[in-house]
Amino acid sequence: MIQGTAAANGATFTGPVTLYRNAAFHAEAGTTVEFAGVVSGEGAIVKTGAGKVVLSGSGAVTLAGVEGGSFESSGDVAIADGATLDLSGVDFASLTEKAYPIVTCGGTLTGSFAAVRGLPENGDWKIRVTPRGVKLVRTSGAALIIR
C-alpha cells in the first residue's frame, strides 16, 4: 500500500501495490525504480524526478502527471483528466536524439495531457501521442554528434 511518495534510487519492489489515493513515484536522474508486483486501486500516479519509473507487474493504472524522466507500464495507462506534463527541468540543448519516450505502455494508452509545461517556444520540439505512449520529438534541425 502506498499513500504519499514511493522513492528509491535503483530499487525494485516485488510485492503488490495498492493505490488508495494519488501517490508520487519518484526516481532520481540516472536511476530506475521498478515496481514488479500487481498495481491496483483507485489512486493515480504522479511520476516525479529525472529518472525512470517502471511498472512491470500487471494492472491498469491512471497517470495524473509526469514531472521529468520517463514512465513505463506493462499494462494499460489512462492519462487522467487535467494531467500535466512538466518538462521544465529538461536541458533541451543537451538532447542529441531525435525522440525520447516519456510514457510507454505495453497495453493501451488513453487520454492526453491537459497541459504541457517547459516545452521550448521555438517549435523545435513537440509531444507525440500514440496508442502505446507519449514521446518528446525533435521537429527541426538534425542531431549532430561529433566524436
Side-chain angles (χ1 to χ4, degrees):
M1 173 176 66
I2 295 174
Q3 295 183 9
T5 302
N9 291 328
T12 298
F13 299 91
T14 57
V17 175
T18 303
L19 300 170
Y20 290 104
R21 60 181 180 184
N22 291 0
F25 285 28
H26 183 86
E28 291 295 327
T31 67
T32 298
V33 178
E34 180 178 3
F35 296 86
V38 174
V39 178
S40 63
E42 297 296 318
I45 296 169
V46 176
K47 192 283 173 195
T48 63
K52 179 191 288 188
V53 170
V54 176
L55 305 181
S56 59
S58 61
V61 296
T62 300
L63 192 57
V66 175
E67 300 171 5
S70 62
F71 177 85
E72 291 181 17
S73 174
S74 62
D76 294 338
V77 175
I79 298 176
D81 291 340
T84 298
L85 173 58
D86 190 348
L87 303 172
S88 300
V90 175
D91 178 8
F92 286 91
S94 70
L95 300 181
T96 58
E97 301 295 324
K98 187 113 173 104
Y100 293 88
I102 297 171
V103 177
T104 306
C105 64
T108 301
L109 177 76
T110 57
S112 62
F113 291 103
V116 177
R117 295 187 189 129
L119 200 59
E121 294 180 12
N122 63 11
D124 285 349
W125 295 91
K126 70 176 186 175
I127 302 302
R128 179 171 294 147
V129 179
T130 70
R132 296 285 184 160
V134 177
K135 290 183 180 182
L136 175 64
V137 179
R138 184 185 309 269
T139 60
S140 64
L144 176 63
I145 302 173
I146 301 173
R147 295 188 182 172

